[in-house]
């Protein structure tokens, strides 16, 4: 979780010992992704948090390992919400991102695109994937992790804060305006 798409394919192929290439694996997934990706719901509490931060003029962006095509599919049913973001960085498609998560590249590139280019320690990252947590920490940023239940405790330990849901996030803990 949190790796570039081709890396994810390679890892899956190696673990499952499949006799295909990463490109073949990705091609096989294309139709399923096209159909299923737009159906992925937002995390509970995400819309409330995004609208709250936007109403207080807090700069926001998306830094994802997904390709531009997959990003468009993910945003299909949430265009109004994602239009509130200052920018989107793709770890798979953006040339400035040289290394995928857990390298810090994607978050450093994303932060550099803000108008004020904040210091890493002033950036708060929200992540669900262990590699994303490691990448944010390697970038010198704070990270709130909202992991899926199957993520083991040791994969959560690097997060600044681990929450069961964005619904219980308290912005004031990070110097942000409270709900």
């Amino acid at each position: 979780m949190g790796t570039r798409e081709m890396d994810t394919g390679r890892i899956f192929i190696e673990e499952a010992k499949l006799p295909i290439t990463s490109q073949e694996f990705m091609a096989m997934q294309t139709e399923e992704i096209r159909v299923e990706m737009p159906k992925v719901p937002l995390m509970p509490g995400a819309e409330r948090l995004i609208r709250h931060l936007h109403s207080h003029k807090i700069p926001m962006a998306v830094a994802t390992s997904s390709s531009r095509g997959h990003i468009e599919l993910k945003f299909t049913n949430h265009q109004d919400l994602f239009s509130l973001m200052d920018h989107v960085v793709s770890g798979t498609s953006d040339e400035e991102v040289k290394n995928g998560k857990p390298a810090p590249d994607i978050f450093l590139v994303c932060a550099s695109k803000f108008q004020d280019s904040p210091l890493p320690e002033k950036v708060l990252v929200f992540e669900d994937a262990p590699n994303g947590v490691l990448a944010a920490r390697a970038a010198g940023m704070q990270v709130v992790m909202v992991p899926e239940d199957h993520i083991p405790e040791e994969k959560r330990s690097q997060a600044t804060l681990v929450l069961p849901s964005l619904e219980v996030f308290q912005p004031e803990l990070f110097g942000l305006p409270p709900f």
Side-chain angles (χ1 to χ4, degrees):
M1 290 176 51
T3 58
R4 290 177 164 188
E5 291 171 6
M6 291 305 281
D7 292 334
T8 301
R10 179 186 48 76
I11 292 166
F12 185 82
I13 290 164
E14 288 172 6
E15 291 295 319
K17 296 179 180 27
L18 297 176
I20 59 174
T21 66
S22 292
Q23 291 83 358
E24 290 169 324
F25 178 79
M26 295 305 291
M28 290 168 54
Q29 281 191 310
T30 300
E31 182 59 23
E32 185 172 343
I33 287 171
R34 189 188 67 71
V35 171
E36 297 300 324
M37 191 74 75
K39 298 177 187 175
V40 174
L42 294 171
M43 282 186 165
E47 182 169 2
R48 174 182 178 228
L49 176 59
I50 291 168
R51 292 195 185 283
H52 171 74
L53 295 176
H54 182 263
S55 74
H56 289 281
K57 300 184 179 6
I58 306 297
M60 296 177 290
V62 174
T64 177
S65 297
S66 296
S67 67
R68 286 281 169 198
H70 288 176
I71 292 167
E72 290 173 17
L73 290 171
K74 285 181 184 178
F75 291 3
T76 299
N77 295 320
H78 310 290
Q79 291 291 333
D80 62 324
L81 199 58
F82 286 102
S83 70
L84 304 178
M85 299 294 158
D86 291 85
H87 53 271
V88 176
V89 174
S90 164
T92 297
S93 302
D94 291 349
E95 291 182 11
E96 300 132 296
V97 180
K98 302 297 182 205
N99 301 293
K101 299 172 185 178
D105 303 29
I106 192 168
F107 292 120
L108 295 172
V109 168
C110 192
S112 74
K113 292 182 179 286
F114 284 111
Q115 186 176 354
D116 67 348
S117 194
L119 295 172
E121 59 268 20
K122 298 290 184 184
V123 175
L124 179 60
V125 173
F126 291 88
E127 260 296 342
D128 62 344
N131 278 337
V133 170
L134 294 174
R137 297 303 291 184
M141 300 172 179
Q142 297 185 77
V143 58
V144 173
M145 184 181 200
V146 184
E148 293 183 26
D149 292 337
H150 68 85
I151 304 294
E153 288 300 318
E154 64 270 11
K155 298 280 187 180
R156 304 170 184 219
S157 65
Q158 294 297 310
T160 309
L161 178 66
V162 178
L163 298 175
S165 169
L166 288 175
E167 294 171 306
V168 299
F169 177 66
Q170 297 174 333
E172 61 273 19
L173 294 177
F174 293 91
L176 297 166
F179 286 116

